[in-house]
Amino acid sequence: MFKRLLTLLVSVILAISFVLNGTVYADTLNLKSKSAILMEANTGQILYEKDSHKPLPPASVTKVMTLLLAIEAIDSGKIKITDKVVTSKHAFDMGGTQIYLEVGEEMTVDDLMKAIAMNSANDASVALAEYIAGTEENFVEMMNKRAKELGAKNTTFKNATGLPEEGHLTSVYDIAMISRELVKHESIFKYLTNKLDSLRNGKFSLINTNKLLWRYKGVDGIKTGSTSEALYCMAATAKRGDTRLIAVVFGAPDSETRFSEAAKLLDYGFANYESVKVASKGQSFGNVKVLKGKREAVSVVCRDDEYILIKKGEGKNIKTEVELKNAVLAPLAKEVPIGTVKITQDGKVIKKFNIYPQEVVEKANFFENLNKVFIGWLKYQ
């Protein structure tokens, strides 16, 4: 009896600790999936995790990275959505889910993106990977390099599709980080939110494998996957107001559990938290005097949208404190911070970020400085 009471007491203490820390842990939502995570996209804050760093086979959720590299290539101008890609024998040989590309068949980047995002087509993934990097092997090197850049420490990609291959592993945390980067690209939602479409002039139908697009308010991505080894996996994202959440589940026992547990994670997040924008990209926080520059002052701005995450109902007494340098010496680069913004709640700093010159200010030459002195002298005459 005493042992049972002690166990119960420990459980209560742990539960209180988890709540106070602001993160829900494994047993709280009673998920059946092997691992899971809930991340708030704007801040990257983790709201729930269950074995979130455990390397597991991701099946076609791998294609979150494939899509990221593709949309980065499109947005940077390296490739265009109107480009035509010729199918190789290697792409033709892909198994699993396909759009049945023929060797030598041409398909636009736009249509390949549809096929990957909606239908999870392996042949389309490899064809696009080869177009971007020359070979699938080169593309896989790009995938692993980008994963490391994003802080994905438990990821080793072996292919661009997620087809079973020894050592092809990642974690729900790593996929959440990659997904967070993906959803920064507004142009990707053209593909992620598309429920029904077709290829080859309407001869081949596409139905999005993400059933949450039909079932869950605010869902606008991302990717499903399943193999006998990985079981059922998915990365889902939904946005309501300024709050965007990313839920990732690996190793669900069946397809319906995958969708219901992703929805359960999103429900928890939206019920308990909200993201608040505290600064907008390009927002000015005042001017700073520039010494010996071609301009006498420069506007100090925010480089990105900035957010805080708060528990619902706890958004009171939030204040913004701005600290600017009195003066700066030219030349002045846009990348050098010249001020900070502190967001406080009840006197406690909950976020701090740098602010920067709106423009480059070059150093004034001798004659320009002399002219400034002369104009200043005239003002006092």
Side-chain angles (χ1 to χ4, degrees), residues 35-51:
S35 63
I37 196 167
L38 179 66
M39 177 184 287
E40 196 280 319
N42 292 316
T43 63
Q45 187 168 331
I46 307 302
L47 307 180
Y48 171 97
E49 53 187 345
K50 173 186 177 181
D51 288 334

Side-chain angles (χ1 to χ4, degrees), residues 82 119 209 214 246 255 285 349:
T82 54
N119 204 53
T209 59
W214 285 267
I246 295 169
S255 181
F285 287 90
V349 177

Side-chain angles (χ1 to χ4, degrees), residues 145-359:
K145 181 175 182 290
R146 194 73 178 98
K148 288 181 181 179
E149 290 171 354
L150 295 172
K153 297 179 180 179
N154 294 293
T155 293
T156 302
F157 293 120
K158 297 287 187 175
N159 57 59
T161 61
L163 286 168
E165 188 169 344
E166 187 177 353
H168 184 93
L169 301 169
T170 185
S171 67
V172 291
Y173 175 85
D174 289 358
I175 289 295
M177 293 291 288
I178 298 165
S179 298
R180 185 185 179 208
E181 191 68 21
L182 179 66
V183 299
K184 292 178 182 178
H185 295 263
E186 286 296 324
S187 53
I188 195 62
F189 291 104
K190 170 186 176 183
Y191 306 103
L192 299 183
T193 61
N194 202 356
K195 296 177 183 177
L196 302 170
D197 212 318
S198 63
L199 303 172
R200 302 184 179 105
N201 297 315
K203 295 178 182 178
F204 191 94
S205 297
L206 296 174
I207 302 175
N208 202 310
T209 59
N210 183 2
K211 304 309 178 189
L212 292 184
L213 290 170
W214 285 267
R215 301 180 188 176
Y216 197 94
K217 179 184 175 183
V219 163
D220 49 11
I222 303 174
K223 192 73 198 68
T224 63
S226 63
T227 63
S228 58
E229 179 189 23
L231 301 180
Y232 293 86
C233 310
M234 87 171 300
T237 186
K239 186 177 182 182
R240 295 180 185 175
D242 283 334
T243 307
R244 175 173 290 283
L245 301 177
I246 295 169
V248 185
V249 295
F250 278 6
D254 54 69
S255 181
E256 187 54 40
T257 299
R258 156 181 63 185
F259 292 121
S260 64
E261 294 196 344
K264 184 184 284 190
L265 288 168
L266 295 171
D267 281 342
Y268 169 77
F270 285 123
N272 292 283
Y273 295 90
E274 61 182 329
S275 182
V276 178
K277 184 186 280 190
V278 292
S280 299
K281 183 178 180 178
Q283 178 180 338
S284 177
F285 287 90
N287 297 312
V288 167
K289 185 178 180 181
V290 180
L291 304 176
K292 297 184 179 181
K294 291 191 174 184
R295 297 179 60 87
E296 293 187 352
V298 67
S299 180
V300 188
V301 299
C302 186
R303 288 202 300 192
D304 299 293
D305 292 338
E306 297 286 351
Y307 296 84
I308 57 171
L309 185 69
I310 59 172
K311 288 187 176 180
K312 281 196 169 179
E314 297 184 4
K316 298 179 181 179
N317 302 320
I318 295 175
K319 296 180 180 179
T320 301
E321 298 178 5
V322 181
E323 297 177 358
L324 299 177
K325 291 187 177 182
N326 293 325
V328 291
L329 186 66
L332 190 61
K334 291 174 71 174
E335 296 77 20
V336 179
I338 55 174
T340 57
V341 176
K342 293 179 183 178
I343 308 299
T344 65
Q345 185 173 32
D346 296 321
K348 180 183 177 181
V349 177
I350 57 175
K351 185 180 180 70
K352 183 177 179 180
F353 56 91
N354 293 324
I355 44 180
Y356 300 82
Q358 186 178 33
E359 57 192 325

Side-chain angles (χ1 to χ4, degrees), residues 97-113:
T97 306
Q98 304 173 56
I99 54 169
Y100 303 102
L101 290 168
E102 294 290 340
V103 176
E105 180 179 359
E106 290 186 347
M107 190 166 284
T108 65
V109 168
D110 189 50
D111 280 347
L112 291 174
M113 289 290 285

